[in-house]
Amino acid sequence: MIPLQNHDQDKSTRVTSGVPGLDHILHGGFRAGRSYLVSGGPGSGKTTLGLHFLAEAEPGEALLISLGEAHQTIDEDARGIGLDISEVVSIDLSPSEASATPDAYTILEPWEAESADLQARIRELFPDRLPKRVFVDALSQLRHLFPDSFQFRKQVMALMEYLKSAGVTVLFSAERGAAAEEDLQYLGDGILMLEATEFGRTLSVVKYRGSGFVEGKHSVRLSDQGMRVYERLIPTDHRRDFITESIASGVAEVDTLMGGGLERGTVTIFSGPTGVGKTSLGVQFMREAATRGERSVIFSFEERIETLRYRCQGIGIPLDDMIDQGTLAVREVEPLRYGPDEFAWLVRHQVEAQGARIVMLDSLAGYRQSVFGQDVVPHVHALCRYLGNMGVTVLLVNEVGSIAGGELRVSEYGISYLADTVVLLRYIELDGELRKTIGMLKKRTGDFEKTLREFQITSKGLKVGEPMVGLRGILRGVPEATLPRTQAS
């Protein structure tokens, strides 16, 4: 892969976040000796992000100042997501600790006289040198102890300058919409915004002094393994050189119909009703690619691998052999399990780490469920552009509602403009029998046959007949014989 952006930063000046996926968005991590606000609503993942940050530190190099939850509760939560903060030094100023220990808040009342006492408390815990990492959770709670925002900002600035002057990297959290949050936005060198919406969780970098970052909203997943961030896919950031060439299907008649086959790095839509053979045609291209030693991957949103294996076995395609040899991967995808950014990372892993040259999404209706009610077009557009830039041939399986007749429509999602090639698979009624046909509607990269051919799926593989001549109305599903030119005249 040849990245178009060079994020060549001095790694020695960066502090890793500990959150998988986040450091790349931050162009290497947090800048050492700076302070960062983590803002978000309840349950958005603020504390979880801070725990990852602390767990990444060397023993004795991190400090947790807790103003919301008790340290014991935070420690239990950390263990629950597989993070060890047992070596993290803590100052527990949570309300529960204050009620149990009346002296807990004496360092804060009044703050005008006691800010130095908090600094003394930190020096007492770190007599030789200050820790490299500090997480204050949640700093917005302190606003209630001051008569006005001026005093609050003054004391927070004093604390931050004290820590930053010693080279400490500070994360501090705030509740979104709290009275203190607006004040804290001006005090940090960066702002990370966490949101939980009906479409899933997101993280965005609102401010990041002294460094670039990846803009936009990135998907976030919280699980029993903690937090993971999935970077928003920007196709123009990814490209590699590849040779433009035709990819044959291995079925001579199909290749003739398609003007030699499909081109590498292009997008093809296989459009047709259920059971007409769209997936089988896509797997046939993958079978031929396997003979060249190329790897393909199927992302199946609707069909289980056992069913696909059985169907392929019935038409003579050795799916198991291809999987065993590493030339094919089949990934079952629960439609509501992944957001679009997270799914894009699954695809990127197959392309960049596993070397996939053909990717099939089966089907677009299933993929649509992964965008959680959002407009499918921008997400599938970004994914297809990325794959094309990487020289990957994309096969999109699109199911149309009508079995035969009706309006001729390639896709119900308005994405036909993305396709370099459109293959139509349709049913027709002929002589009282239901038959299948295949034809090309579009090919940007070259010429193709303008006729329709009969398409059969047999125990010996895919069979394609001669061009169907002497008929009209085939696309309507009920063909009629045409009169010879002499009779018509």
Side-chain angles (χ1 to χ4, degrees):
M1 180 177 64
I2 303 175
L4 297 186
Q5 292 184 354
N6 184 9
H7 301 157
D8 236 357
Q9 302 287 345
D10 183 358
K11 299 300 182 182
S12 65
T13 65
R14 296 284 168 162
V15 176
T16 57
S17 67
V19 178
L22 179 55
D23 287 346
H24 188 268
I25 292 170
L26 300 177
H27 288 189
F30 297 109
R31 297 194 68 194
R34 301 293 186 99
S35 62
Y36 298 93
L37 166 64
V38 181
S39 176
S44 59
K46 301 183 298 297
T47 302
T48 302
L49 193 156
L51 292 176
H52 277 279
F53 175 72
L54 294 175
E56 192 76 358
E58 295 293 328
E61 294 286 358
L63 170 65
L64 167 63
I65 302 175
S66 176
L67 294 145
E69 295 289 338
H71 174 75
Q72 181 179 355
T73 302
I74 294 177
D75 186 59
E76 292 173 356
D77 292 342
R79 289 199 303 270
I81 57 176
L83 297 177
D84 182 9
I85 61 169
S86 59
E87 299 291 338
V88 174
V89 181
S90 67
I91 297 177
D92 193 342
L93 303 175
S94 63
S96 59
E97 182 67 15
S99 61
T101 308
D103 293 336
Y105 271 114
T106 57
I107 62 170
L108 302 174
E109 298 176 348
W111 187 276
E112 292 89 335
E114 299 293 348
S115 62
D117 287 348
L118 181 54
Q119 297 175 19
R121 180 96 172 257
I122 295 173
R123 282 196 296 269
E124 180 182 342
L125 294 171
F126 296 89
D128 298 324
R129 60 186 179 91
L130 294 184
K132 292 183 178 179
R133 299 169 184 247
V134 171
F135 175 48
V136 186
D137 186 36
L139 191 55
S140 55
Q141 295 286 343
L142 287 182
R143 177 63 181 86
H144 303 295
L145 302 178
F146 297 98
D148 54 51
S149 61
F150 173 76
Q151 291 296 329
F152 173 69
R153 291 179 65 174
K154 177 182 176 182
Q155 300 305 331
V156 171
M157 287 179 65
L159 176 62
M160 293 301 163
E161 288 303 318
Y162 166 67
L163 294 172
K164 289 165 57 177
S165 64
V168 179
T169 306
V170 186
L171 258 62
F172 55 97
S173 66
E175 288 291 334
R176 182 78 181 274
E181 192 226 5
E182 184 175 352
D183 292 323
L184 293 174
Q185 288 183 4
Y186 296 97
L187 301 181
D189 297 294
I191 301 173
L192 276 63
M193 192 73 68
L194 293 167
E195 296 181 87
T197 71
E198 60 179 319
F199 301 126
R201 302 177 187 275
T202 63
L203 178 146
S204 53
V205 183
V206 179
K207 166 182 164 184
Y208 205 59
R209 290 175 181 160
S211 174
F213 58 91
V214 181
E215 297 186 3
K217 292 187 176 183
H218 312 280
S219 295
V220 172
R221 177 168 292 278
L222 297 179
S223 68
D224 57 3
Q225 296 179 336
M227 175 181 286
R228 182 178 180 90
V229 181
Y230 297 90
E231 177 189 345
R232 181 173 66 97
L233 180 60
I234 303 176
T236 53
D237 287 352
H238 308 273
R239 182 169 295 160
R240 65 183 173 194
D241 295 331
F242 63 94
I243 299 174
T244 301
E245 58 185 343
S246 292
I247 299 174
S249 69
V251 179
E253 295 80 3
V254 171
D255 297 334
T256 299
L257 178 70
M258 296 183 177
L262 305 177
E263 267 60 52
R264 195 174 299 282
T266 62
V267 178
T268 298
I269 294 179
F270 294 145
S271 177
T274 181
V276 77
K278 303 180 296 296
T279 302
S280 298
L281 180 59
V283 175
Q284 176 61 41
F285 276 94
M286 295 177 171
R287 176 187 186 179
E288 183 67 13
T291 65
R292 303 189 296 267
E294 295 181 5
R295 180 180 175 86
S296 304
V297 58
I298 301 171
F299 290 96
S300 179
F301 291 88
E302 300 165 3
E303 189 172 20
R304 298 182 61 194
I305 186 173
E306 291 81 6
T307 306
L308 181 62
R309 179 184 289 116
Y310 177 78
R311 289 204 297 117
C312 288
Q313 182 180 357
I315 60 176
I317 296 180
L319 196 75
D320 287 334
D321 291 345
M322 294 163 64
I323 294 174
D324 291 342
Q325 293 166 7
T327 56
L328 177 67
V330 180
R331 297 290 178 261
E332 294 181 38
V333 183
E334 296 181 32
L336 298 179
R337 171 67 172 78
Y338 301 102
D341 293 331
E342 191 171 357
F343 177 72
W345 271 91
L346 297 179
V347 177
R348 288 186 59 185
H349 175 75
Q350 287 293 328
V351 171
E352 297 172 25
Q354 301 297 323
R357 305 299 305 276
I358 300 177
V359 170
M360 180 163 71
L361 303 188
D362 189 10
S363 65
L364 284 170
Y367 175 77
R368 184 175 183 275
Q369 301 301 315
S370 291
V371 301
F372 300 141
Q374 303 174 66
D375 185 4
V376 68
V377 175
H379 297 294
V380 72
H381 178 100
L383 187 59
C384 289
R385 284 288 302 274
Y386 158 76
L387 291 169
N389 290 345
M390 299 295 286
V392 176
T393 303
V394 186
L395 308 180
L396 303 178
V397 174
N398 181 77
E399 184 169 315
V400 297
S402 59
I403 299 297
E407 180 184 357
L408 180 61
R409 181 178 297 179
V410 174
S411 170
E412 298 176 356
Y413 307 111
I415 61 169
S416 57
Y417 78 95
L418 290 174
D420 300 291
T421 304
V422 176
V423 181
L424 296 179
L425 295 156
R426 292 290 188 268
Y427 289 107
I428 64 170
E429 181 189 347
L430 189 62
D431 297 330
E433 293 182 354
L434 194 64
R435 301 188 186 181
K436 302 171 182 176
T437 63
I438 182 172
M440 293 280 289
L441 182 65
K442 168 185 176 183
K443 186 178 182 182
R444 287 175 176 158
T445 55
D447 199 9
F448 58 92
E449 193 176 271
K450 308 304 190 294
T451 62
L452 293 175
R453 294 174 178 249
E454 186 171 1
F455 182 67
Q456 295 178 304
I457 302 176
T458 73
S459 59
K460 295 183 179 180
L462 305 183
K463 302 294 182 183
V464 177
E466 294 297 318
M468 302 180 74
V469 295
L471 297 172
R472 65 182 179 186
I474 294 177
L475 292 178
R476 296 199 309 270
V478 185
E480 300 172 351
T482 58
L483 294 175
R485 289 185 180 272
T486 56
Q487 291 184 257
S489 59

